[in-house]
Amino acid sequence: MAFALGPRASAAGYKLAAFERTGSTNTEAIEHARAGERGPMWFVTSEQTAGRGRRQRPWIAPRGNLAASILEVMDVAPAVAATLGFAAGLAEEAALEQVSLEAALRLGEGRPRYALKWPNDVLAGGKKLVGIGLEAEAVGGGLAVVVGIGTNVVAAPEGTPTPAVSLAGLGVQISAEELFAALSDAWVEFRGIWDNGRGFAEIRRLWLERAAGLGEKVAIHTGSMTLEGVFDTIDDTGCLIVRTAEGRLVPVAAGEVFFGPVASVGAA
């Protein structure tokens, strides 16, 4: 089965570059933007060999997993572009729900349950299933924004800060190509709601409905310090708001998040 856009994405005029194997779909997207591509255009592969995630961690997709990056040149500020990651999480979660219907019927109460982890990951049963990363670069005509979405379809990495899981491990037997078609269509919906940041209030509401750890204890490693408290909400810029033991509300723009009992372990 070859990669193909879903019908909604095709009708909306999205373009697609599919690779049997590539170093990084994000790199492909940025290089195309530098060469004049303005998008919207997807770059996808089921085998990525040199991708990088947050904090420059390796983002490798062994054959059968999905690495997908969407490129669009926009007239928005970088801080606004950063909030597109929340729309990406919603699109991925919607696609996962769609492709998991058969497994949900078959597994009943044991069905996969997905949640969105701040800032951009998707969890299943508390384990990392999807990583989402954003890159942006000024090009002629605006800001080239690339959203990279990596999904563990057939295999999950080991030794990650948050334990990882694959769709196959959850009992969802689908291909990277099937998931991508669903994702490309879901992206059209949530990209439309986001609307260059003008619709972030609605994206924020939808995201909070699916948020992992909301109202629970949390520890956030920012590199220079660890902040502990309760995950209170996200604000209108996408910052995570931590309520400390003293009752202070502290915004966090970036960091590694550990929830619940893991929070004290992660903070140690």
Side-chain angles (χ1 to χ4, degrees):
M1 180 179 178
F3 281 108
L5 295 164
R8 189 170 180 183
S10 293
Y14 280 72
K15 293 177 278 188
L16 172 65
F19 306 88
E20 185 166 328
R21 184 173 187 263
T22 191
S24 165
T25 55
N26 268 29
T27 298
E28 292 283 355
I30 286 291
E31 289 179 351
H32 275 70
R34 291 169 180 165
E37 176 60 57
R38 295 297 174 258
M41 185 171 185
W42 282 100
F43 299 80
V44 298
T45 185
S46 61
E47 186 178 5
Q48 177 171 264
T49 60
R52 310 298 295 183
R54 287 196 300 275
R55 301 194 176 188
Q56 295 303 301
R57 293 194 183 102
W59 185 347
I60 308 301
R63 182 164 296 280
N65 279 3
L66 175 63
S69 299
I70 177 71
L71 162 70
E72 185 174 344
V73 175
M74 308 177 188
D75 183 18
V76 299
V80 173
T83 65
L84 183 56
F86 295 93
L90 287 164
E92 175 74 7
E93 189 265 350
L96 289 168
E97 288 287 357
Q98 180 180 328
V99 300
S100 301
L101 285 175
E102 183 277 332
L105 292 171
R106 174 167 42 84
L107 299 172
E109 284 301 309
R111 66 181 292 271
R113 299 185 186 279
Y114 306 113
L116 302 179
K117 182 185 178 187
W118 185 90
N120 299 318
D121 295 341
V122 182
L123 306 181
K127 296 182 178 181
K128 183 171 177 175
L129 178 66
V130 181
I132 300 173
L134 281 74
E135 296 184 41
E137 183 176 307
V139 296
L143 187 70
V145 179
V146 176
V147 183
I149 305 172
T151 308
N152 301 326
V153 178
V154 299
E158 297 181 355
T160 52
T162 299
V165 69
S166 68
L167 285 172
L170 295 167
V172 181
Q173 303 298 328
I174 57 102
S175 68
E177 291 83 357
E178 289 174 279
L179 176 58
F180 172 69
L183 172 61
S184 67
D185 278 351
W187 176 269
V188 175
E189 176 181 355
F190 290 100
R191 166 66 178 88
I193 295 171
W194 180 73
D195 189 24
N196 285 14
R198 290 181 287 269
F200 182 63
E202 177 64 6
I203 291 293
R204 174 181 176 273
R205 183 187 71 80
L206 294 169
W207 191 93
L208 284 168
E209 288 179 354
R210 297 157 176 80
L214 189 64
E216 297 179 9
K217 291 183 179 180
V218 65
I220 304 174
H221 300 199
T222 62
S224 59
M225 62 168 286
T226 296
L227 176 67
E228 295 185 76
V230 171
F231 177 13
D232 191 78
T233 189
I234 61 171
D235 68 13
D236 58 7
T237 68
C239 287
L240 185 150
I241 304 299
V242 177
R243 184 181 298 274
T244 69
E246 299 77 31
R248 293 186 300 119
L249 296 177
V250 182
V252 179
E256 287 287 343
V257 176
F258 298 88
F259 290 125
V262 180
S264 59
V265 176

